[in-house]
Amino acid sequence: MIPETNKKTAQWAMDFARKNGCQGVRISLYHGSNTSFEVRNMKIDRLQQSSENGLSIYLFVDGRYGAFSTNRLDREELEKFIRNGIESTRYLAEDRARTLPDASLYYAGGGDDLQLHDARFDTLPPDDKVALAMHTCDEIMGRDPRIVAAESSYSDGDSSRYMIASNGFEGESSSSYFSLSGSASIRGDGDARPSDYWYDSALYYDALRRDGIGTKALERAMQKLGQRKIASARLPMLVDFMSARRLLSPLVNALYGSSIQQKNSFMLDRLNVKTLGDRMTLLDSPHMTRASGARYFDSEGVATRPMPVFENGVLKTYYIDTYYANKMETERTVDAPSLLIMPPGDKDLEGLVAQLDRGILVTGFNGGNSSTTTGDFSYGIEGFLIEKGRRTQPVSEMNITGNMLALWNSLVEVGNDPLLSSSWRIPSLLFDGVDFSGM
């Protein structure tokens, strides 16, 4: 948590800036710490620890805007820092779209504790953390003579933020995270070195999965033995929950105010228009307890609220902050997604595989790109050929091409297996008629 003495310093700094010529001020105090251990072949390969404290101040001066940061919180030094910031801001070009949000949009407090921070964070023994990474590596090491490298990593972090604004906002938040991962590289045919990984993460240490992560990483790597291209075809595409986010990202990026205002979004002028298929429903649910991504206010202090992003294919919101709302003379929403949830179906990944006569299961994307303006995409993929309801040939060095709007209109089924530790809870997805390029 942010110490009370630092909060009082922030409040003093805001008052000082206003007395010295600012019409508006926002101040953000932050504290964060991170620890990570990396293990390779049962030896610690890297240890890293970091801690960060600082103050960011956003100045609105005579129609101009400047943002400045420092980690020095001595008031005498801050006086000089703020005066220099104000004078520097006056040299900038005027931009009347840079304002504080309307005070009526701020989060006013009163919400239940979102329980995003593990109170035990500072008391956990470092030896226990190293032991977790070692255990994960040990689940891989020596399990098969073809193993080339066994790697694992443990990381954790916590952060706290306190924010105030001169037109009436005050808010504070804190969170923690813990992560454990394993990766395996094995000797394949010729020069092939298939590799894969698995991981788990949690907001609370006791909720972190400790067993089976290395085993799963090795299993996924072994499944890649014998990867090859197959003939080009137009086939159903099943994307596992670990990879589905890659296909959702272009849609979400096209909803930001920056893309809309600059007219380089393929979702331009589609608000309240049926744009995607009936199966596409996506909700932003920011107030779930113990959920990564949950928050009561955004980076400017504006209150978040549960809302649909897509509803049966109809676009329901853009993500527009104060600056772009002013530029476009439109309603402000929130600056970015909080916790995105796609309502689940009734089958897990294996259930979706079982219903396909022929298709491709995508378990990873290898490079590629998607145009924010047109939605056209091309991605490298790897995964498995599905025949008569089961995985057969591992595939790689293939591409998928198409358009995001057409792809999401071809969504035919949604799985029930989202990664619950993620801020994007997207399950496995089944699309019909995707163009695969291979031999």
Side-chain angles (χ1 to χ4, degrees):
M1 301 295 286
I2 302 294
E4 287 297 323
T5 54
N6 289 0
K7 293 180 185 178
K8 290 180 179 179
T9 296
Q11 291 161 355
W12 167 86
M14 182 176 71
D15 292 338
F16 182 83
R18 292 190 68 186
K19 291 175 181 176
N20 282 270
C22 290
Q23 289 78 50
V25 185
R26 181 170 62 248
I27 290 180
S28 180
L29 279 175
Y30 52 90
H31 165 78
S33 63
N34 300 90
T35 300
S36 65
F37 302 92
E38 294 184 7
V39 175
R40 180 179 175 85
N41 296 338
M42 297 304 293
K43 295 180 180 179
I44 295 179
D45 193 46
R46 190 175 76 160
L47 184 155
Q48 182 174 329
Q49 292 181 297
S50 63
S51 181
E52 182 182 22
N53 292 279
L55 176 149
S56 293
I57 186 166
Y58 307 88
L59 306 175
F60 301 84
V61 185
D62 302 332
R64 294 162 176 83
Y65 167 80
F68 307 90
S69 297
T70 181
N71 59 4
R72 307 295 292 270
L73 299 184
D74 176 80
R75 292 194 181 189
E76 185 174 336
E77 292 187 40
L78 280 174
E79 284 189 5
K80 182 178 179 181
F81 173 76
I82 294 170
R83 285 197 179 99
N84 288 341
I86 293 171
E87 290 307 310
S88 297
T89 301
R90 289 197 168 107
Y91 284 107
L92 300 176
E94 185 175 305
D95 189 349
R96 294 288 176 179
R98 293 288 189 185
T99 66
L100 291 170
D102 186 311
S104 66
L105 300 176
Y106 283 141
Y107 172 62
D112 294 334
D113 182 6
L114 292 175
Q115 301 176 37
L116 304 181
H117 189 270
D118 189 339
R120 296 179 57 204
F121 183 86
D122 292 324
T123 67
L124 299 170
D127 288 350
D128 290 358
K129 303 175 184 182
V130 174
L132 287 179
M134 286 291 190
H135 175 66
T136 298
C137 190
D138 186 55
E139 290 181 326
I140 303 169
M141 194 72 178
R143 307 298 174 181
D144 190 281
R146 290 165 292 186
I147 294 173
V148 176
E151 298 177 321
S152 65
S153 67
Y154 169 91
S155 63
D156 62 29
D158 75 334
S159 61
S160 299
R161 187 170 295 271
Y162 172 74
M163 188 163 63
I164 53 176
S166 57
N167 63 339
F169 175 76
E170 182 178 20
E172 187 171 10
S173 62
S174 61
S175 64
S176 59
Y177 78 88
F178 303 87
S179 177
L180 184 63
S181 68
S183 65
S185 177
I186 59 177
R187 187 177 296 105
D189 298 332
D191 294 331
R193 296 293 183 268
S195 63
D196 214 323
Y197 75 99
W198 195 251
Y199 79 99
D200 189 43
S201 62
L203 298 179
Y204 283 69
Y205 182 75
D206 288 344
L208 185 67
R209 181 180 176 183
R210 290 157 168 72
D211 297 311
I213 291 174
T215 302
K216 185 69 173 180
L218 178 58
E219 175 189 320
R220 285 169 64 91
M222 296 290 287
Q223 289 174 343
K224 293 183 176 182
L225 287 169
Q227 284 180 319
R228 62 177 175 83
K229 298 179 185 179
I230 63 172
S232 299
R234 187 173 177 83
L235 295 169
M237 177 175 71
L238 176 57
V239 183
D240 73 6
F241 68 88
M242 293 282 284
S243 306
R245 178 170 180 154
R246 181 69 178 270
L247 296 180
L248 182 64
S249 292
L251 276 185
V252 174
N253 291 340
L255 303 181
Y256 280 89
S258 54
S259 296
I260 300 300
Q261 190 268 332
Q262 294 164 22
K263 302 189 184 302
N264 64 353
S265 168
F266 62 87
M267 299 301 291
L268 186 66
D269 298 326
R270 294 181 182 270
L271 194 61
N272 296 316
V273 174
K274 186 170 177 58
T275 301
L276 308 180
D278 290 341
R279 294 280 186 173
M280 180 47 168
T281 293
L282 183 67
L283 309 174
D284 199 334
S285 304
H287 300 162
M288 292 182 63
T289 58
R290 293 202 177 199
S292 179
R295 57 180 183 165
Y296 280 123
F297 54 88
D298 70 8
S299 63
E300 294 183 288
V302 169
T304 58
R305 60 183 175 82
M307 62 184 182
V309 183
F310 291 97
E311 196 171 73
N312 302 122
V314 178
L315 175 62
K316 305 302 289 186
T317 190
Y318 290 126
Y319 288 101
I320 302 176
D321 63 13
T322 301
Y323 177 68
Y324 286 106
N326 290 341
K327 292 278 282 188
M328 294 185 287
E329 297 182 347
T330 191
E331 180 183 356
R332 194 205 190 281
T333 56
V334 291
D335 63 350
S338 301
L339 172 58
L340 293 179
I341 296 176
M342 188 174 286
D346 56 9
K347 297 185 183 74
D348 62 9
L349 180 64
E350 296 309 318
L352 294 172
V353 168
Q355 72 185 40
L356 290 179
D357 183 61
R358 193 166 191 268
I360 289 182
L361 166 62
V362 174
T363 58
F365 290 96
N366 302 314
N369 57 78
S370 176
S371 168
T372 306
T373 304
T374 66
D376 293 337
F377 67 83
S378 176
Y379 295 121
I381 65 100
E382 60 182 12
F384 299 88
L385 177 65
I386 299 171
E387 296 176 295
K388 299 189 181 305
R390 64 186 186 89
R391 307 182 198 195
T392 55
Q393 173 64 43
V395 299
S396 66
E397 298 183 8
M398 297 185 69
N399 293 323
I400 58 170
T401 55
N403 180 271
M404 280 294 162
L405 294 177
L407 178 71
W408 285 94
N409 268 287
S410 72
L411 180 65
V412 293
E413 196 158 357
V414 175
N416 65 359
D417 54 355
L419 189 63
L420 297 182
S421 60
S422 173
S423 61
W424 287 27
R425 298 187 179 187
I426 312 302
S428 299
L429 304 173
L430 178 60
F431 300 90
D432 190 27
V434 176
D435 289 320
F436 289 87
S437 300
M439 293 188 296

